[in-house]
Amino acid sequence: QVQLVESGGGLVQPGGSLGLSCAASGTIFSIYVMDWYRQAPGKEREVVARIFSGGNTYYADSVKGRFAISRDNAKNMMYLQMNSLKPEDTAVYYCHTGNVVTKVAGSIRSLEVWGQGTLVTVSS
């Protein structure tokens, strides 16, 4: 089974920086797109940033210019560098892929996988 594990969350003051990492493990042939989502208390989960295997990226308007997504395809790692953090960035951040190609019961499948989430709190 493929697993995504986030790390790097924590408490940071407004204006500060924090880096998140996502490690994908298991039998992985390829991952076309990887995302960071977040869910704030009482709000729906929303996509924060997205990166394709070729390096193209997408950012939500709320984080453009402040967050940077990157990935290391060889290591099956994804990162999110968050700068100029605001209290409204407080949320649980999730690593996600909608299309990891893996082997399931001897067959090649494309699966959707979510990480367990890591809490980011921006507060003074």
Side-chain angles (χ1 to χ4, degrees):
Q1 288 288 354
V2 175
Q3 287 188 318
L4 299 178
V5 178
E6 303 94 337
S7 61
L11 173 65
V12 62
Q13 291 187 342
S17 298
L18 203 61
L20 303 181
S21 298
C22 171
S25 63
T27 301
I28 297 171
F29 296 111
S30 67
I31 305 177
Y32 177 54
V33 60
M34 299 184 77
D35 321 288
W36 286 102
Y37 280 76
R38 68 184 180 188
Q39 187 166 20
K43 295 189 176 181
E44 292 187 356
R45 194 172 295 190
E46 61 176 0
V47 63
V48 174
R50 175 169 293 149
I51 186 165
F52 296 83
S53 56
N56 288 342
T57 58
Y58 159 84
Y59 294 95
D61 287 343
S62 58
V63 306
K64 275 182 185 176
R66 300 188 298 121
F67 289 12
I69 189 172
S70 61
R71 63 189 283 181
D72 184 330
N73 293 330
K75 296 181 179 178
N76 290 321
M77 293 288 298
M78 179 176 66
Y79 308 94
L80 186 68
Q81 179 62 38
M82 303 182 292
N83 301 321
S84 302
L85 282 160
K86 305 175 181 179
E88 51 263 43
D89 294 317
T90 295
V92 177
Y93 284 71
Y94 297 90
C95 177
H96 168 265
T97 176
N99 41 41
V100 55
V101 179
T102 182
K103 184 176 284 188
V104 179
S107 299
I108 304 299
R109 299 281 178 86
S110 178
L111 301 179
E112 178 180 27
V113 182
W114 288 92
Q116 83 287 350
T118 185
L119 177 63
V120 173
T121 303
V122 184
S123 175
S124 54

